[in-house]
């Protein structure tokens, strides 16, 4: 018997739900215990954790992203909307291994709110994710540029020049806001600091 496309996708949806429920039944601890002590969870484990958090906190509504480790990144994690990609820093979590779930939750909120705006903060509180990652001397790179928000004066050190970036805490509606476009305040080249008015 031939089944229609609609039926096919209905069947797929059922299987998907069953699969997800099984994943939820396994606690985070059980998943993490399978890993070698002292090593970071595999990308596969991160995907399981994503499924779990997605169902626990977002009614399963987030579209599954690609989740991968980055060995270059010095911050904890990142989310790239155009690629639907969550990157988790290897360097950061080698120092703070207990924060990996926190980082994942934080990046999952970025799938809905790009900036750390008020709505982001509400979500972070709701699901118990941190707003800021920890710092460690070995993670700090000397920034090449220092940008400042004309509204609140918050400083944004950057490795690259930025053009259309506005302050994450002042910009309205969580979007680029020309009123709070970051201004270049200093640049550092070959150990020399140049200040801009
Ligand atoms: Zn963030
Ligand atoms: Zn600001």
């Amino acid at each position: 018997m031939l089944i229609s496309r609609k039926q096919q996708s209905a069947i797929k949806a059922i299987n998907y739900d069953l699969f997800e429920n099984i994943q939820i039944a396994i606690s985070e601890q059980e998943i993490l215990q399978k890993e070698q002590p002292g090593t970071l969870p595999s990308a596969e484990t991160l995907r399981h954790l994503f499924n779990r958090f997605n169902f626990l906190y977002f009614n399963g509504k987030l579209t599954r992203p690609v989740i991968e480790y980055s060995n270059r990144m010095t911050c904890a994690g990142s989310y790239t909307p155009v690629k639907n990609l969550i990157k988790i820093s290897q360097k950061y979590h080698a120092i703070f291994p207990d924060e990996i779930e926190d980082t994942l939750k934080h990046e999952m909120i970025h799938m809905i709110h790009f900036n750390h705006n008020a709505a982001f903060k509400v979500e972070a509180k709701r699901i118990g994710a941190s707003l800021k990652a920890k710092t460690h001397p070995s993670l700090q790179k000397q920034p090449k540029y220092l940008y400042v928000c004309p509204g609140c004066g918050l400083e944004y050190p950057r490795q690259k020049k930025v053009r259309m970036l506005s302050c994450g805490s002042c910009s309205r509606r969580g979007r680029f806001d020309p009123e709070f476009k970051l201004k270049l305040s200093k640049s550092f080249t070959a150990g020399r600091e140049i200040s801009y008015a």
Side-chain angles (χ1 to χ4, degrees):
M1 189 189 84
L2 281 171
I3 49 172
S4 72
R5 273 200 177 187
K6 205 175 170 185
Q7 282 172 313
Q8 273 180 15
S9 57
I11 290 163
K12 264 190 201 156
I14 292 164
N15 288 337
Y16 179 77
D17 278 348
L18 286 174
F19 172 74
E20 296 292 0
N21 286 331
I22 292 161
Q23 294 303 348
I24 291 164
I26 305 169
S27 79
E28 290 160 60
Q29 214 47 49
E30 279 169 317
I31 295 166
L32 291 172
Q33 271 166 8
K34 285 186 202 158
E35 309 290 336
Q36 291 283 321
T39 59
L40 295 176
S42 65
E44 177 67 19
T45 302
L46 292 181
R47 284 191 283 275
H48 289 319
L49 282 173
F50 173 89
N51 290 340
R52 184 182 149 80
F53 293 151
N54 193 13
F55 274 80
L56 272 177
Y57 304 119
F58 302 96
N59 294 317
K61 285 188 181 130
L62 300 182
T63 310
R64 279 193 225 194
V66 177
I67 304 174
E68 59 187 40
Y69 278 110
S70 162
N71 52 19
R72 295 198 328 181
M73 175 179 248
T74 53
C75 55
S78 72
Y79 175 65
T80 314
V82 286
K83 294 182 185 165
N84 193 23
L85 168 69
I86 287 180
K87 278 201 217 167
I88 303 285
S89 165
Q90 244 163 5
K91 277 184 192 161
Y92 181 90
H93 295 96
I95 302 168
F96 305 113
D98 294 344
E99 290 193 20
I100 204 148
E101 292 179 20
D102 187 18
T103 302
L104 183 61
K105 284 198 235 173
H106 180 104
E107 301 311 328
M108 285 173 78
I109 305 172
H110 277 310
M111 294 179 75
I112 315 167
H113 304 292
F114 189 68
N115 292 317
H116 297 144
N117 56 13
F120 185 101
K121 285 170 190 161
V122 169
E123 285 293 276
K125 204 171 175 195
R126 181 178 71 84
I127 75 167
S130 301
L131 284 176
K132 277 193 182 140
K134 292 196 176 97
T135 52
H136 187 276
S138 74
L139 294 170
Q140 278 157 6
K141 264 193 208 169
Q142 163 85 1
K144 290 200 178 96
Y145 305 96
L146 185 70
Y147 290 86
V148 176
C149 168
C152 68
L154 200 67
E155 293 184 334
Y156 290 84
R158 286 292 179 272
Q159 292 299 326
K160 288 179 185 166
K161 273 201 168 180
V162 297
R163 283 160 147 242
M164 300 290 277
L165 213 64
S166 64
C167 178
S169 47
C170 297
S171 300
R172 287 155 297 193
R173 297 189 300 276
R175 297 203 185 125
F176 174 76
D177 189 335
E179 202 183 325
F180 300 105
K181 184 174 184 253
L182 299 184
K183 286 195 165 67
L184 183 61
S185 132
K186 279 173 188 168
S187 71
F188 308 88
T189 41
R192 276 180 36 172
E193 185 186 311
I194 303 154
S195 291
Y196 298 86

